[in-house]
Amino acid sequence: MHANEATGEKEFTGRHMLVLLIAFFGVVFAVNIALAYFAESSWTGLVAENGYIASQEYNSFIAAEKRQEKLGWDARFSHDAIGLIFKVKDRSGSPVTGLDVVVTMGRPTHEGEDRVVRLAETGYGVYSLDMALPAGLWEASLVAKGRDGSEWRRNYRYVNSKAQ
């Protein structure tokens, strides 16, 4: 009689070890597949195609920001039930007219709903576009160019609370 038979314990065999190894590596493999799937399906897009080139353009970005500050514009961007609205006034409070306003809209979480739209001047210093957006978080990159070569840029992030 073996010692294991007297105590009622089962013997640990090579077959048991094989089952444990297969189960362990099976779990590791399944977790890796699940993580790879979730990483690929939740792709949020790139901020910069090439980080090195973006870093080389940093000084020109700072110079453009300084030029924009010198303009002294008071600009407001919003989205309401009607659509996108951009209002801009100069330093003295007068409306800024004659701008070419382009807005790049998108979701920060995925690329499926990205769109580029041009706002029309609908009043003195007021640029708008009738456009319904689904509810949720949105990012808007706005570029307003004047006839004199002036340029104003701003990024906005907002939540559209009503599905339209």
Side-chain angles (χ1 to χ4, degrees), residues 50-61:
N50 186 323
Y52 177 75
I53 291 174
S55 72
Q56 299 302 309
E57 296 171 348
Y58 184 72
N59 287 338
S60 63
F61 174 76

Side-chain angles (χ1 to χ4, degrees), residues 35-48:
L35 290 176
Y37 169 77
F38 289 124
E40 181 64 28
S41 66
S42 64
W43 170 250
T44 60
L46 293 174
V47 173

Side-chain angles (χ1 to χ4, degrees), residues 18-120:
L18 178 63
V19 168
L20 283 175
L21 282 174
I22 291 172
F24 173 77
F25 285 109
V27 168
V28 169
F29 183 73
V31 168
N32 281 336
I33 293 296
L35 290 176
Y37 169 77
F38 289 124
E40 181 64 28
S41 66
S42 64
W43 170 250
T44 60
L46 293 174
V47 173
E49 288 289 329
N50 186 323
Y52 177 75
I53 291 174
S55 72
Q56 299 302 309
E57 296 171 348
Y58 184 72
N59 287 338
S60 63
F61 174 76
I62 296 297
E65 283 289 316
K66 288 181 181 177
R67 285 191 303 273
Q68 182 170 311
E69 282 181 26
K70 287 181 183 178
L71 290 173
W73 289 358
D74 178 22
R76 313 284 172 167
F77 176 75
S78 63
H79 181 268
D80 63 10
I82 298 170
L84 303 175
I85 301 169
F86 177 62
K87 297 178 181 178
V88 59
K89 296 179 181 177
D90 64 13
R91 188 173 279 119
S92 67
S94 300
V96 179
T97 61
L99 297 176
D100 180 28
V101 181
V102 176
V103 182
T104 304
M105 304 285 301
R107 302 267 198 173
T109 55
H110 58 282
E111 299 169 334
E113 297 182 62
D114 292 357
R115 56 193 83 179
V116 178
V117 295
R118 186 174 306 276
L119 304 185

